[in-house]
Amino acid sequence: MSGKLVVLTCGGGNGAHCLAGLAAVRPDIESRVLTMYADEAERWAANLDSGFIITVHNDDGSIKSIKTKPSLVTKDPKKAVPGVDYIFIVVPAFAHAMYFEAIAPYIDDNTVIVGLPGQAGFEFECVNLLGDKAKRCTMVTFESLPWACRLIEFGKNVEILGFKDTLGASLLKGKECNLTKPIIETTQYILGEKPKVRHVQNYIAITLMAKSIVHPPIMYGKWSQWDGKPLSEKPLFYQGLDERQAELLSGVSDECVATAKAIEKKVPGLDMSDVIHVFDWYLNYYSDQITDKSNLMMAMKTNKAYDGLVHPMKEIEPGKYVPDFTYRYMAEDVPEGIVPMKGIAELAGVSTPYLDEVIAWCQGKLNKEFLVGNKLTGKDLKDTRAPQKYGYNKLEDLFTGSFEVTPQ
């Protein structure tokens, strides 16, 4: 397979199927898959000879079927990783550590490791778990998945319902990493024509852009005054937004923007302009889906992309529902989302009363202690991806050391 670009997709979900399939279509790419969850590798490998179908719904209403086949699907990192050029981590943030630990012994120098998406703290965890090898690699973090997609039949059929128009990606380059091919352009080639990959200048900007800020404030606003009685139906999540929930989300977003501006003033050469308010983000990304753009609450309530999406609920008896605080909206978006953002704000000296209020309530529901008062000194900080967990105790620690923060 010499001369080919070797691309490894880590994961077995809908996004992993899309990426592994799209990469495999390129004749000069060898597409491999590493999935370590349960028996996914065995099940997918059993169908590998016949390949699988990506059903693409285009903007004009037309539908295209792409027949594709990765060259390898395995759960053994020793078979999957050696010789790989690009490793895409396409699993939820809580599973990143398992994959970093599995691939670390087999990674070659000059490998590109891509979080698709990375979520807050991706680089901190990657550098920590890869050790010295990270200095000879480059980390790429995408702000979200490139597609809205769903798995129709495992290992056989995945559906792309839509493409993002553009997608931000940041680079953190090890100072001993010597790559000859341009990373953003190569990543674009692997993904295909859409979405247009846009270079975000630095990894802290993309951390503060992460959309994990959306779910925890809404969960807090909705359920903090709940009387504990079961509901007869599942309430709408985004389209059920009220003024209090919108205020909390807007306040958290304001604090992320304020953090970005404070960092830009304190660290010469940084461009944090990609960190925009969540309302502006909605207007940019969903402009054709939103019918009322008068404010954040109405933009979310009238966003067609959110039609019918409900709060995560558990049915405790037929027709009786209670909120599920173990769902990823809390279990992932707090420790691998708003807690790392709070950590960065703390290093930048930015006060965050909204973040503090949301984290304080959420940590109670998760039976964790991250925040004590308004400081991240809780006993469970080890279970987060806050920079303080990894020994970053001053703002400059985020931008110095063995990595180029703003590589071209």
Side-chain angles (χ1 to χ4, degrees), residues 207-222:
T207 300
L208 294 170
M209 290 162 63
K211 293 291 102 49
S212 42
I213 67 164
V214 173
H215 299 132
I218 296 176
M219 290 292 285
Y220 167 54
K222 175 70 178 175

Side-chain angles (χ1 to χ4, degrees), residues 54-302:
I54 304 176
T55 306
V56 181
H57 294 255
N58 294 310
D59 291 342
D60 61 6
S62 63
I63 296 175
K64 181 169 80 169
S65 284
I66 301 171
K67 179 93 171 172
T68 184
K69 185 171 83 170
S71 64
L72 173 74
V73 178
T74 181
K75 66 176 179 185
D76 183 354
K78 195 173 182 179
K79 291 179 183 171
V81 180
V84 162
D85 299 299
Y86 276 67
I87 299 175
F88 284 78
I89 312 283
V90 197
V91 295
F94 70 81
H96 287 173
M98 176 177 75
Y99 279 92
F100 289 143
E101 286 168 346
I103 66 178
Y106 310 107
I107 287 180
D108 294 331
D109 289 354
N110 309 318
T111 300
V112 178
I113 302 165
V114 186
L116 190 71
Q119 301 290 24
F122 177 80
E123 296 87 353
F124 303 146
E125 188 167 63
C126 186
V127 168
N128 181 56
L129 293 177
L130 295 191
D132 268 356
K133 284 196 172 187
K135 299 172 189 173
R136 298 184 291 279
C137 294
T138 293
M139 284 143 279
V140 180
T141 294
F142 277 92
E143 61 177 314
S144 69
L145 268 181
W147 334 270
C149 53
R150 65 183 175 197
L151 205 48
I152 305 301
E153 189 175 359
F154 184 85
K156 292 185 179 178
N157 193 347
V158 67
E159 193 170 33
I160 294 180
L161 303 166
F163 293 84
K164 299 258 180 17
D165 292 330
T166 65
L167 198 60
S170 66
L171 310 179
L172 185 67
K173 187 169 182 271
K175 288 183 177 172
E176 297 169 32
C177 181
N178 298 302
L179 286 163
T180 52
K181 289 184 175 145
I183 295 171
I184 294 291
E185 290 83 348
T186 305
T187 309
Q188 180 79 68
Y189 181 71
I190 295 164
L191 291 177
E193 288 180 20
K194 291 194 296 187
K196 175 77 177 124
V197 178
R198 187 173 55 81
H199 184 191
V200 174
Q201 193 226 28
N202 66 85
Y203 80 111
I204 295 299
I206 211 144
T207 300
L208 294 170
M209 290 162 63
K211 293 291 102 49
S212 42
I213 67 164
V214 173
H215 299 132
I218 296 176
M219 290 292 285
Y220 167 54
K222 175 70 178 175
W223 300 111
S224 57
Q225 304 300 316
W226 178 52
D227 61 8
K229 293 176 183 171
L231 280 64
S232 57
E233 58 184 41
K234 298 178 181 181
L236 289 169
F237 191 84
Y238 305 96
Q239 295 177 341
L241 206 71
D242 63 20
E243 288 183 357
R244 172 66 176 150
Q245 292 160 42
E247 181 207 339
L248 288 162
L249 174 54
S250 184
V252 166
S253 187
D254 283 336
E255 289 167 0
C256 289
V257 172
T259 299
K261 287 179 176 171
I263 291 171
E264 198 172 65
K265 279 184 184 165
K266 293 180 179 185
V267 184
L270 279 197
D271 175 5
M272 303 293 284
S273 60
D274 280 299
V275 184
I276 58 173
H277 193 273
V278 69
F279 180 38
D280 297 316
W281 183 84
Y282 273 110
L283 297 184
N284 287 351
Y285 276 79
Y286 291 103
S287 58
D288 57 340
Q289 304 273 310
I290 293 169
T291 50
D292 185 339
K293 300 177 180 177
S294 57
N295 57 47
L296 175 62
M297 183 179 80
M298 293 313 301
M300 293 178 76
K301 284 171 78 75
T302 65

Side-chain angles (χ1 to χ4, degrees), residues 4 6 16 49 95 122 162 166 168 175 178 200 236 288-289 315 328 331 344 353 355 380 383 393 402:
K4 288 196 174 189
V6 184
D49 285 347
F122 177 80
T166 65
K175 288 183 177 172
N178 298 302
V200 174
L236 289 169
D288 57 340
Q289 304 273 310
E315 192 171 22
R328 64 180 173 83
I344 293 167
L355 269 169
D380 296 310
D383 300 326
N393 296 311
S402 303

